[in-house]
Amino acid sequence: MWNVEEFMRAATVTVDGLATYVDESQRGLPPVLRRRPPRELAERLGLARWIREGGMTPDSYADFLAAYLDEGTRLHHPAYLGHQVAAPDFPAALADFVHGAANNPMAIYEMGASAATVEFGVLRWMLDKVGFGETGGGVLTHGGSLANLTALLAARAAAAPEAWTEGVPADLALLAPASSHYSLTRAAAILGLGERAVMPLDVDELGRIDVARLPEALERVRRAGRRPMALVANACSTGTGLYDDLRGVGEFCAASGVWFHVDGAHGASALLVEEHRHLLDGIELADSLIWDAHKMLRTSSLAAAVLTKREGDLDAAFQQRASYLFYGDQGFDLIGRTVECSKAELGLKIFLNLAWRGERGLGDYVARQYATAHRFWELAQERPGFECPYEPESNIVCFRYGTADQAVIREDLMADGAFHLTSTEVGGVRHLRITVMAPATDDKTLEQLLDLIGERGGPRADRPYPPRDVLG
Ligand SMILES: *Cc1c(COP(=O)(O)O)cnc(C)c1O
């Protein structure tokens, strides 16, 4: 049994520790990340001893927690410009805490009536935002990769209903731009189509689907003796943060009877912003869509929605019968729609953020992050040596500085914890890449990043990067 008093002391230690951690992070006081090697880190955290001996108390836990947080990556830090992972808002953090204690694993209604009902309510809200309305169906799952797999499973069930029992026909194809997230190719392999069934769509120089050339792509698929199972568009693409023309692609798919899947893992949250909603124009034409809450709706990892235009399509994805779980009137079970059996109380995280901030507040966050990224693009343009291959549409920006190896620039900025950023290829050329996730990132942070790259790299193309003497 819990010693409730001990729990309350430990919980207070946790709240205090996290409050200090988030406050210092937001103010950018410590480095955004540390890069201590695992052996040394295990030593600092006393892992071997704790595992061997146990006996942690609220006091020793306080020390452990402080070290644990200190050695991690600070997503709330203004200099966090790395991967597309949210600096969670605190209502969502409270939901994780509640789930950790109550653990209503939600596989079936009787294991968590409120958790299931909250998930259902959140899904109805999302379906409404997308324009799938009353006829749509959805489920929350542990992440975008699993969500893509689930949506494509629904597409497979529509194209080849016999695949569940008989195995996968050899002629299915998945059409997707090469800029798609790797989870789509993985899904094709997991679904038994094989990676080679993923046939690339023609794209422009920035990796966006060339709508005018879709008929040719379909023709290629048919000439290869294959049947299109689904066609994928990005909203937005992971690498560049650019949106495909959903209306153009959607109309083509509708006219040619091809399942239209939209990967909105990162960018579907722009639906909440009047000013950016046009980026998702045509989304209601999709047969299926995924939307991550742990990216732009500020929940912790992972909470992703799979949404289908027709509810029955999602139910058809898993044709497995486990009748004791599907009992009708006394509630509903979403277990028939997920890879998972038990799953976390994912709806609560999204719901509490919504309940606290309102749809408006969540939209304002998205708008602010998109605006900050746009500001970075403007600032970079004004400086010598910086090149941006396109005007950003979201909170993801790609750029290059000088002619040095961009990966070395990134490595240098990360080495002393000054900034956390990523890199990607655009048009076959390595670029630096920032994703503006933390609310604490402002114009000043962006100027500092540009200054630092300029100072350390120097404006001269002939100088090797970085000049070690200025690193101190
Ligand atoms: C992040 C991302 C994914 C994968 O989502 P996870 O939740 O990390 O599994 C899929 N597609 C796109 C476009 C993404 O940006």
Side-chain angles (χ1 to χ4, degrees):
M1 287 205 294
W2 282 25
N3 174 336
V4 171
E5 249 168 57
E6 187 184 16
F7 161 66
M8 287 174 69
R9 273 189 290 136
T12 304
V13 163
T14 309
V15 171
D16 290 349
L18 286 175
T20 304
Y21 166 79
V22 173
D23 181 51
E24 288 179 354
S25 300
Q26 288 184 157
R27 291 195 284 140
L29 301 178
V32 61
L33 81 164
R34 299 188 195 277
R35 312 194 87 186
R36 201 187 290 279
R39 201 182 291 272
E40 228 177 278
L41 190 48
E43 186 70 30
R44 177 171 182 204
L45 297 175
L47 296 192
R49 186 171 59 84
W50 284 120
I51 291 169
R52 201 173 53 240
E53 295 169 18
M56 197 175 263
T57 63
D59 285 340
S60 50
Y61 161 68
D63 295 338
F64 170 83
L65 182 65
Y68 179 87
L69 292 172
D70 185 53
E71 294 287 350
T73 298
R74 295 174 183 262
L75 277 67
H76 300 270
H77 196 292
Y80 178 77
L81 296 161
H83 300 277
Q84 306 147 267
V85 179
D89 202 353
F90 73 78
L94 299 178
D96 280 327
F97 194 37
V98 171
H99 170 64
N103 195 28
N104 279 200
M106 283 248 319
I108 48 177
Y109 191 78
E110 68 179 38
M111 283 305 296
S114 37
T117 303
V118 166
E119 169 164 343
F120 196 74
V122 166
L123 286 166
R124 295 316 318 173
W125 171 75
M126 292 175 121
L127 287 164
D128 186 52
K129 288 291 121 195
V130 173
F132 287 168
E134 293 298 303
T135 57
V139 74
L140 295 178
T141 191
H142 288 85
S145 302
L146 207 48
N148 272 331
L149 176 70
T150 307
L152 292 183
L153 188 58
R156 195 188 74 178
E162 74 287 2
W164 190 269
T165 43
E166 306 301 319
V168 186
D171 64 345
L172 295 180
L174 179 67
L175 287 79
S179 53
S180 296
H181 192 261
Y182 74 86
S183 59
L184 288 155
T185 309
R186 273 202 181 173
I190 295 168
L191 290 170
L193 274 68
E195 255 181 28
R196 239 180 256 147
V198 183
M199 307 189 68
L201 293 171
D202 299 303
V203 292
D204 68 9
E205 70 287 357
L206 294 169
R208 284 175 294 204
I209 296 173
D210 184 344
V211 176
R213 295 177 69 185
L214 284 172
E216 286 168 53
L218 196 55
E219 191 44 43
R220 275 201 303 275
V221 169
R222 298 214 159 113
R223 265 206 315 275
R226 287 186 178 264
R227 274 189 294 157
M229 180 187 90
L231 191 154
V232 181
N234 292 314
C236 50
S237 103
T238 305
T240 60
L242 294 173
Y243 288 77
D244 280 321
D245 170 5
L246 301 187
R247 181 159 303 282
V249 178
E251 283 173 356
F252 172 80
C253 287
S256 29
V258 175
W259 180 288
F260 179 30
H261 174 64
V262 174
D263 185 345
H266 184 90
S269 297
L271 285 168
L272 309 181
V273 189
E274 199 48 48
E275 180 196 348
H276 298 305
R277 207 190 175 286
H278 69 94
L279 295 166
L280 294 146
D281 178 50
I283 196 169
E284 71 285 355
L285 299 171
D287 294 288
S288 58
L289 162 78
I290 73 154
W291 180 357
D292 279 1
H294 58 279
K295 286 179 174 165
M296 297 305 288
L297 296 182
R298 301 193 64 197
T299 74
S300 67
S301 304
L302 300 158
V306 186
L307 307 170
T308 57
K309 195 205 307 271
R310 294 162 300 272
E311 185 154 34
D313 282 347
L314 197 47
D315 291 319
F318 299 90
Q319 296 177 352
Q320 204 164 26
R321 288 278 162 261
S323 56
Y324 64 99
L325 296 172
F326 303 103
Y327 50 76
D329 351 341
Q330 292 176 39
F332 53 87
D333 298 330
L334 293 169
I335 194 171
R337 298 182 178 176
T338 49
V339 174
E340 299 99 316
C341 174
S342 302
K343 68 173 185 179
E345 298 168 43
L346 305 179
L348 189 62
K349 301 201 257 201
I350 306 174
F351 171 76
L352 285 182
N353 273 354
L354 257 173
W356 229 280
R357 306 295 179 204
E359 184 183 311
R360 195 47 198 287
L362 294 184
D364 288 348
Y365 162 76
V366 175
R368 189 194 170 281
Q369 302 313 102
Y370 278 31
T372 307
H374 198 269
R375 183 78 188 128
F376 178 79
W377 174 76
E378 288 162 24
L379 293 170
Q381 306 268 81
E382 293 166 4
R383 299 197 178 214
F386 288 89
E387 276 171 69
C388 305
Y390 58 89
E391 179 175 356
E393 290 182 333
S394 64
N395 55 333
I396 298 172
V397 192
C398 294
F399 65 102
R400 283 182 58 81
Y401 179 74
T403 52
D405 182 348
Q406 306 293 297
V408 176
I409 299 180
R410 170 177 124 87
E411 202 41 53
D412 170 58
L413 291 165
M414 307 241 312
D416 57 359
F419 279 93
H420 193 324
L421 71 171
T422 54
S423 84
T424 189
E425 283 191 5
V426 184
V429 180
R430 175 74 35 199
H431 281 70
L432 294 169
R433 172 178 174 275
I434 62 163
T435 311
V436 184
M437 298 302 293
T441 304
D442 59 13
D443 285 11
K444 207 173 97 225
T445 320
L446 303 177
E447 301 263 18
Q448 281 165 354
L449 174 60
L450 291 164
D451 285 347
L452 200 56
I453 295 174
E455 273 164 36
R456 289 184 180 182
R460 299 197 328 260
D462 58 325
R463 192 157 76 171
Y465 191 92
R468 282 288 154 196
D469 50 319
V470 302
L471 285 183

